[in-house]
Amino acid sequence: MSKPIIGIPGNKIATQNSSSEPVERAYVNVACVRAIEENGGVPVLLPTPQNPELMLPALRLCDGLLFPGGDDVDPALYGEEPHPLLEKVFPELDAFWIYAALYAEQNALPVLGICRGLQVLNVAHKGTLYQDLSLMEGTILSHRQEGSRSTPVHQVAVEPGTHLHRILGTNSVRTNSLHHQAAKLPGEGLVVSARSEDGVVEALESTDGRVIAVQWHPEEHLDNLPCMSHLFQNLCKRAAERRAKP
C-alpha cells in the first residue's frame, strides 16, 4: 500500500535576502514535516493562493490534513471586534485554512490540528476563541513559554473515554505551551478532550474521531515524549485507510 499524502496548509513569512526588499515566502516548520515523514505519511505543503478554490485540485490529492501552528485568527470570523491584545492576523491564510477545513469536513478527510490549527478548526465549526488568555477568567498558568520549544512546562488532563485518550494512552501528560489564544466555545460537533489545570481547552475532537486537535506542539516532542508520535501515526493510519477505500 502506498503511503498517504498529508497536506499541510502553509504559513507566510517575510525574509530578507541579498536584495533591499523583504521577500514573502510560504513555509511549514520542518518539525511538522518530520512528524509526518517518520510516522507513515508523505508531507505536502499547501501554499495559500489569492483564491482558495485554486487549491481544490491539490486538496483532492490529499488523504488527510495537518493544520499546524501560526499567527492569530481574525476575530471577525467568529463575530468579534479586534481586542488591543490581538496580534498579527493574515486574513488570506484564514480564508484558505477554513476553506481546507470545510473541504475536509465535506469529504471526510481525517484531520489533526496543532495550536493555531486547533483554533482554525474550531472557528470553521462555528466555535469562538479567547483573543488573549488574559480575557479568560481564572487563567493562572503560563501558556507562552520561553526557551526550548521541546520543554514540557505544564500538565494537561486528558478526558477518559475520548479518542485522544485512546491515542495517547494516558490520563495526563506534561506538554509544551506556545500560545496566547485558546478555544472559548467549542464548535458544532466538537467536544473538549483535554484541559490544563486552569481550565484552558488543550484539545478538541469530533465525536467520530475524524478531527483531533491539540493546543500544544506535539511535533516538538517526538524525541522526549514518545506518546506524541501516536498523534501523527493515528492521522497517517486514518488517512491510509481512507486512501485504501475503493
Side-chain angles (χ1 to χ4, degrees):
M1 183 189 302
S2 60
K3 291 185 177 182
I5 296 173
I6 307 298
I8 309 176
N11 280 287
K12 285 188 175 183
I13 190 171
T15 61
Q16 197 80 32
N17 58 12
S18 57
S19 69
S20 59
E21 295 183 0
V23 177
E24 194 172 58
R25 304 179 191 275
Y27 79 97
V28 60
N29 287 351
V30 171
C32 287
V33 173
R34 176 193 170 199
I36 296 300
E37 179 183 11
E38 293 186 358
N39 289 287
V42 178
V44 175
L45 169 64
L46 301 176
T48 297
Q50 291 183 337
N51 177 6
E53 293 182 5
L54 185 67
M55 292 300 290
L56 184 57
L59 287 168
R60 286 173 174 159
L61 295 175
C62 297
D63 304 300
L65 295 177
L66 169 63
F67 290 84
D71 293 289
D72 287 2
V73 180
D74 187 347
L77 294 170
Y78 48 94
E80 292 186 9
E81 293 297 320
H83 188 275
L85 295 175
L86 180 72
E87 298 179 4
K88 184 181 293 186
V89 297
F90 292 94
E92 68 277 13
L93 283 183
D94 292 336
F96 173 56
W97 286 36
I98 288 178
Y99 179 85
L102 295 177
Y103 173 87
E105 178 75 21
Q106 294 160 5
N107 293 275
L109 260 68
V111 165
L112 174 62
I114 293 172
C115 200
R116 166 184 161 86
L118 176 148
Q119 296 162 12
V120 168
L121 288 167
N122 193 44
V123 171
H125 283 79
K126 300 181 181 179
T128 62
L129 306 177
Y130 289 104
Q131 293 188 44
D132 186 83
L133 283 173
S134 65
L135 304 174
M136 177 182 169
E137 186 177 352
T139 308
I140 56 172
L141 297 180
S142 173
H143 288 270
R144 205 170 203 178
Q145 71 191 69
E146 298 182 3
S148 173
R149 292 168 64 88
S150 64
T151 301
V153 295
H154 69 65
Q155 209 72 18
V156 169
V158 182
E159 289 289 335
T162 59
H163 295 283
L164 181 66
H165 185 267
R166 176 177 55 80
I167 292 167
L168 294 180
T170 182
N171 294 327
S172 181
V173 64
R174 198 166 183 84
T175 71
N176 56 14
S177 193
L178 297 154
H179 64 108
H180 84 108
Q181 296 194 316
K184 186 176 182 180
L185 176 69
E188 295 177 0
L190 299 179
V191 296
V192 177
S193 52
R195 291 183 186 272
S196 54
E197 288 184 3
D198 55 2
V200 171
V201 172
E202 292 286 345
L204 293 170
E205 62 182 46
S206 58
T207 53
D208 61 2
R210 187 189 63 80
V211 175
I212 303 291
V214 297
Q215 187 56 65
W216 66 90
H217 283 263
E219 76 279 13
E220 303 289 353
H221 283 315
L222 299 183
D223 295 325
N224 62 344
L225 290 174
C227 68
M228 295 303 173
S229 289
H230 298 170
L231 287 163
F232 303 99
Q233 291 168 6
N234 175 264
L235 172 64
C236 294
K237 179 178 180 290
R238 291 184 287 135
E241 291 171 349
R242 184 184 184 278
R243 183 180 184 87
K245 289 181 180 179

